Amino acid sequence: IREQAVALAPAMLNQGFYNGFLAAALALGLLLADPALAKAFTLYGLLCVFAAGIVGAITVQKRILFVQTLPATAALIALYLAQWRN
């Protein structure tokens, strides 16, 4: 088990950074005062989550499609519909 942990450590570090960058993009989307810039960060973050969910569903586990890609899709649809209200 220790050997597996050592072998997986670089991949887990990479995934941690990736998740941190996604969280930062989505946080900027919520916090930036400029609506266009905030929307761009939100769109970027959600598209990355969507794409990563597709890749995860193909390469790791089909369940990822439902717990990651489906919520990202719903958020992208909500973001698209919200532009019609403004």
Side-chain angles (χ1 to χ4, degrees):
I1 292 177
R2 179 165 171 72
E3 294 81 24
Q4 285 179 321
V6 170
L8 289 174
M12 295 301 101
L13 178 64
N14 181 50
Q15 186 169 356
F17 269 93
Y18 163 80
N19 288 335
F21 290 129
L22 282 181
L26 293 171
L28 285 170
L30 289 172
L31 300 174
L32 288 173
D34 179 357
L37 194 54
K39 182 179 176 184
F41 272 102
T42 301
L43 184 60
Y44 170 77
L46 289 173
L47 287 172
C48 286
V49 171
F50 176 87
I54 296 291
V55 171
I58 292 169
T59 61
V60 178
Q61 186 179 30
K62 299 276 187 258
R63 181 175 178 269
I64 293 172
L65 192 65
F66 300 103
V67 298
Q68 183 171 333
T69 307
L70 193 58
T73 302
L76 285 164
I77 291 168
L79 185 64
Y80 176 76
L81 293 175
Q83 78 181 1
W84 296 106
R85 292 190 66 203
N86 296 330

